[in-house]
Amino acid sequence: MDFRQLKQVLRYANQNAEEICQMPDVNLSKTTLFIDILRCYFKYHVYAIQYKKEKFWQLPPEERNEVAKKYREKNLKNEAWAKDYYENFRFLIKWTAYKYEATAKQQKRRIDAYRRRYDIGDNCFIGHDVLIERHHHLWGTIKIGNNCLLAKHVYIDYSGYIIIENGVKIAQGVVIETHHRDIDAYILGKDVNIPTQLRICENAYIGTNAIILDSCNYIGRNVRIGAGAVVTKDIPDNTIVAGVPAKVIRMLGEA
């Protein structure tokens, strides 16, 4: 457990202990509850809010263990996700800086770091300020092939599942999204986020400042997407698209 996580555990333990001790049917001190919340976290891996919800202070050990089973696996998974999220955050702070544009040696250091972090193939170029991240405890994946270009200021959300095949060129400022929030659930006060899938096929080119929304799941081979386009649906092979929303301009090879 790192310092950030420990600080969070202590803060919520203190907050919930204070709330519980003020309940009319509770005769335990804040200190006693605080220590018990911490004990339950380290022994059963139950969070303070779950301790309060299930009234753990009333449960004997055998019941505590049974109740904890429904939380433990999810909590451990969430913590693993959070650990990866903050590792990625620190990675981006270190490697997105403009200083790595200065020399070929510095460029290579950045590209090698990105390749190790994100499953990127050979002979790729990654410009500075390329952000690759995922959100909302979604376990998406990203795979990038050989001979690809990710120009500066590209943003890729891999909360969903994204495959970028060989020879794909992504120009400056492109935004790619692979998840969306369930609006119906949001209206009901729930935070539900849905991952999607995207495949960008060989030799596709995505122009400057284009936006690929999560409703697009397929960008075909040799596709050309114009600068500033907003892509909302799949694009078949050998197609040129542009506009907001993006529409077919013509097929490659046509006059």
Side-chain angles (χ1 to χ4, degrees):
M1 176 185 293
D2 60 23
F3 177 74
R4 175 196 57 79
Q5 186 179 355
L6 177 60
K7 184 178 178 181
Q8 188 178 50
V9 168
L10 294 173
R11 177 163 64 90
Y12 284 114
N14 181 68
Q15 176 183 316
N16 283 272
E18 184 170 355
E19 293 174 0
I20 294 168
C21 75
Q22 294 175 3
M23 293 179 178
D25 59 339
V26 176
N27 296 315
L28 299 172
S29 70
K30 177 182 174 181
T31 301
T32 300
L33 287 163
F34 177 79
I35 293 171
D36 195 41
I37 290 172
L38 293 181
R39 183 185 297 115
C40 284
Y41 174 77
F42 289 107
K43 183 174 182 178
Y44 302 109
H45 224 86
V46 169
Y47 295 158
I49 188 67
Q50 296 160 349
Y51 177 97
K52 178 182 175 183
K53 177 182 177 182
E54 301 291 348
K55 297 184 177 181
F56 260 74
W57 64 90
Q58 297 180 352
L59 302 179
E62 60 274 13
E63 288 188 42
R64 287 186 171 203
N65 192 52
E66 285 301 312
V67 174
K69 285 180 181 179
K70 67 180 182 180
Y71 293 112
R72 186 180 294 118
E73 183 177 351
K74 181 180 179 180
N75 289 348
L76 288 170
K77 188 174 182 180
N78 284 343
E79 288 184 15
W81 186 95
K83 180 181 178 181
D84 180 78
Y85 176 85
Y86 283 103
E87 286 177 353
N88 194 66
F89 180 73
R90 289 189 287 268
F91 173 91
L92 293 174
I93 289 175
K94 178 178 180 180
W95 293 105
T96 57
Y98 182 76
K99 66 180 180 180
Y100 290 102
E101 286 288 288
T103 67
K105 184 176 180 180
Q106 288 174 318
Q107 287 181 5
K108 185 177 185 303
R109 287 184 65 203
R110 178 184 57 246
I111 293 168
D112 287 344
Y114 271 80
R115 289 186 61 203
R116 290 191 297 270
R117 176 80 192 171
Y118 300 112
D119 191 11
I120 298 176
D122 298 329
N123 301 316
C124 293
F125 180 83
I126 296 106
H128 74 273
D129 193 33
V130 170
L131 303 181
I132 303 176
E133 55 188 0
R134 55 188 174 189
H135 301 279
H136 307 299
H137 290 92
L138 296 175
W139 286 92
T141 59
I142 183 168
K143 181 175 178 60
I144 300 175
N146 302 323
N147 304 308
C148 293
L149 165 71
L150 277 63
K152 60 185 178 180
H153 309 313
V154 164
Y155 175 82
I156 300 177
D157 158 46
Y158 75 108
S159 303
Y161 306 90
I162 180 169
I163 295 174
I164 300 174
E165 296 184 354
N166 297 338
V168 170
K169 306 295 187 289
I170 302 177
Q172 175 179 335
V174 168
V175 173
I176 298 175
E177 298 283 358
T178 60
H179 84 280
H180 66 272
R181 177 164 289 170
D182 185 329
I183 299 301
D184 292 334
Y186 181 75
I187 292 171
L188 297 174
K190 300 178 181 179
D191 187 19
V192 178
N193 295 277
I194 301 172
T196 58
Q197 300 183 27
L198 173 64
R199 178 180 291 271
I200 305 177
C201 297
E202 289 185 358
N203 300 317
Y205 173 83
I206 304 176
T208 302
N209 293 328
I211 299 174
I212 314 300
L213 295 179
D214 66 280
S215 52
C216 174
N217 305 121
Y218 180 86
I219 296 175
R221 297 176 67 252
N222 305 314
V223 160
R224 301 292 181 263
I225 298 174
V230 177
V231 179
T232 61
K233 57 185 179 180
D234 294 359
I235 305 174
D237 296 349
N238 304 308
T239 305
I240 300 174
V241 303
V244 181
K247 296 181 179 180
V248 175
I249 304 300
R250 61 184 174 87
M251 305 298 291
L252 286 176
E254 292 180 353

